[in-house]
Amino acid sequence: GSCMSPQYGVKVCISEFTNQEVTSHFITREIDTVAVKGKVDGIRVFELIAARDDCSWDSLAFRTEAAKEHPTFATRISALPNAKKLEPFLGQFDTALNNYRAQKFDEALASFQEIVDAVQDPVSKLFIERCQEFKLDPPEANWDGVYRPKSK
């Protein structure tokens, strides 16, 4: 299922469980850990960025009918200019996310800012705001990486 995609400015947001099923065919990036009611651990969520250029739709395990290229929506990364621009920064984003979770907010902030300067990434923008917030008001020492907005 999808989660609060508007918050991240991404089109498709999937859980870590769906991500395991689709990474053979799609380029995804981990974007957050979200709290789920009734669960102790947060669930990691991923953005579905684009289909891999070399993927074969016929081999999507969870499809029953033969999948075809969509006639009007470009899905492969080479046909998606924004995804193509973002692709070289995915490793850097991942490092920044790990720094953020490790409470190295200065390092994370610098990386996220570079990505925003280069490709206007809305997810990195969101994390810049969070890093700035946490620098003023750090999370607890054993923080699990789940962002819980402070209720005023």
Side-chain angles (χ1 to χ4, degrees):
S2 73
C3 53
M4 319 77 55
S5 303
Q7 177 191 346
Y8 303 104
V10 304
K11 290 195 178 67
V12 187
C13 190
I14 57 176
S15 74
E16 58 186 283
F17 311 109
T18 308
N19 185 65
Q20 287 164 356
E21 293 178 5
V22 302
T23 50
S24 56
H25 285 69
F26 291 91
I27 294 161
T28 61
R29 70 164 157 173
E30 187 171 348
I31 55 176
D32 208 0
T33 308
V34 293
V36 179
K37 282 199 177 67
K39 280 200 162 69
V40 181
D41 297 322
I43 286 186
R44 295 181 306 146
V45 292
F46 292 76
E47 174 189 3
L48 195 59
I49 293 176
R52 298 182 185 281
D53 282 333
D54 58 355
C55 77
S56 156
W57 296 122
D58 303 338
S59 61
L60 267 176
F62 54 89
R63 294 283 297 246
T64 44
E65 78 282 13
K68 292 180 186 63
E69 200 76 46
H70 197 287
T72 48
F73 293 110
T75 49
R76 292 179 190 255
I77 188 146
S78 55
L80 297 167
N82 287 355
K84 193 97 188 108
K85 280 192 303 213
L86 180 63
E87 192 183 21
F89 294 96
L90 294 178
Q92 180 172 345
F93 181 88
D94 203 50
T95 304
L97 185 63
N98 287 328
N99 279 331
Y100 164 83
R101 288 180 175 155
Q103 302 197 35
K104 298 178 184 165
F105 297 118
D106 287 321
E107 290 168 43
L109 191 62
S111 293
F112 287 131
Q113 188 61 59
E114 274 179 22
I115 298 170
V116 168
D117 291 345
V119 291
Q120 300 299 309
D121 175 41
V123 185
S124 296
K125 281 191 181 125
L126 178 75
F127 276 99
I128 288 170
E129 288 166 25
R130 290 187 188 177
C131 288
Q132 287 165 340
E133 196 178 311
F134 280 138
K135 281 171 65 168
L136 297 172
D137 186 7
E140 65 274 13
N142 58 350
W143 180 53
D144 57 5
V146 175
Y147 179 72
R148 298 177 177 84
K150 302 253 188 323
S151 38
K152 304 266 183 298

